[in-house]
Amino acid sequence: MKAAVLVFPGSNCDRDLAVAFRNAGCSVEMVWHKDTTLPDDVDIVGIPGGFSFGDYLRCGAIAARSPIVGALKSHVERGGYALGICNGFQVLVETGLLPGALIRNAGLKFICKPVDLTVETTASDFTSGYTKGQSVTYPVAHHDGNYIAGPDTLAALTGEDRVAFRYDGNVNGSADNIAGILSENRRVLGLMPHPERAADPALGGADGADLFRSLAIAAVTA
């Protein structure tokens, strides 16, 4: 499996994401935001956490208009995988590749701590290594992680089994405690918690490693 990790000014989890992919057996290339093409034969594009462009205007709003995003959209339209974590999730909703929006946390404070999540579906190549209803722990580190969407969108996400993870409790005010969602074709995942920061026991937990392993296995067997 070949992964490309996008790098924007202000990204601070790009290396962490690359390491998580490599530990799952992937080859990885870092791609600068001013590039206009992705490397050949890329299976998945990772959009890392951080504070792209200093979160100026809105989180992810400027990054979503970077030159590389045209190639990201084309990749997704061809059925390629994409994984957006934290700021990467914000970028994905700003591009329209995922529905909804992410706004200021309900408590108006930056949240940085491990949180418990429930795996809501295993019917995706990102989550097939878990069991439905399994509790996992990933860290969060965000100020604008409060997921909102209209009632029709929320109903569709639930009805189509596209909620990947939910918070166990009200962490940031997100509608229906949503922590991560899938695209209609189930090949794009956006989530606020950081699986790449929970992918090695040396980091304090390895619950996130199964996400990367599941994806690598799916790409190889596809």
Side-chain angles (χ1 to χ4, degrees):
M1 181 178 182
K2 187 172 183 179
V5 175
L6 306 188
V7 183
F8 302 96
S11 296
N12 65 13
C13 295
D14 44 334
R15 183 181 179 278
D16 306 67
L17 184 53
V19 168
F21 277 130
R22 288 192 184 104
N23 287 347
C26 306
S27 63
V28 182
E29 291 192 39
M30 312 302 282
V31 180
W32 185 234
H33 73 111
K34 287 190 176 181
D35 291 346
T36 57
T37 59
L38 294 168
D40 293 337
D41 302 321
V42 161
D43 297 294
I44 181 165
V45 178
I47 308 97
F51 305 90
S52 59
F53 295 92
D55 284 346
Y56 191 64
L57 298 181
R58 288 188 311 277
C59 300
I62 298 177
R65 288 151 183 84
S66 290
I68 194 59
V69 170
L72 168 64
K73 289 181 176 179
S74 295
H75 169 79
V76 168
E77 288 165 1
R78 291 192 299 268
Y81 294 104
L83 171 64
I85 300 170
C86 198
N87 188 235
F89 186 11
Q90 294 162 343
V91 172
L92 288 173
V93 298
E94 287 286 343
T95 62
L97 292 172
L98 288 175
L102 291 146
I103 63 173
R104 190 63 47 88
N105 295 339
L108 304 182
K109 292 182 179 180
F110 185 85
I111 301 170
C112 185
K113 62 181 181 179
V115 298
D116 293 331
L117 309 168
T118 298
V119 179
E120 293 292 332
T121 182
T122 57
S124 84
D125 290 337
F126 298 93
T127 58
S128 60
Y130 299 105
T131 57
K132 183 177 175 63
Q134 181 178 345
S135 180
V136 297
T137 302
Y138 296 169
V140 296
H142 58 249
H143 200 240
D144 295 72
N146 183 352
Y147 181 77
I148 61 168
D152 290 346
T153 297
L154 292 173
L157 289 172
T158 298
E160 296 168 11
D161 193 32
R162 288 168 51 202
V163 177
F165 299 95
R166 279 192 168 92
Y167 299 107
D168 290 351
N170 189 345
V171 171
N172 52 24
S174 290
D176 295 342
N177 290 334
I178 289 173
I181 60 171
L182 295 157
S183 61
E184 289 184 7
N185 70 355
R186 316 187 78 78
R187 286 182 168 250
V188 180
L189 170 64
L191 72 165
M192 287 308 296
H194 288 267
E196 82 285 8
R197 295 187 183 180
D200 189 308
L203 301 175
D207 284 349
D210 284 335
L211 186 149
F212 296 97
R213 281 196 291 265
S214 299
L215 195 54
I217 291 169
V220 169
T221 58

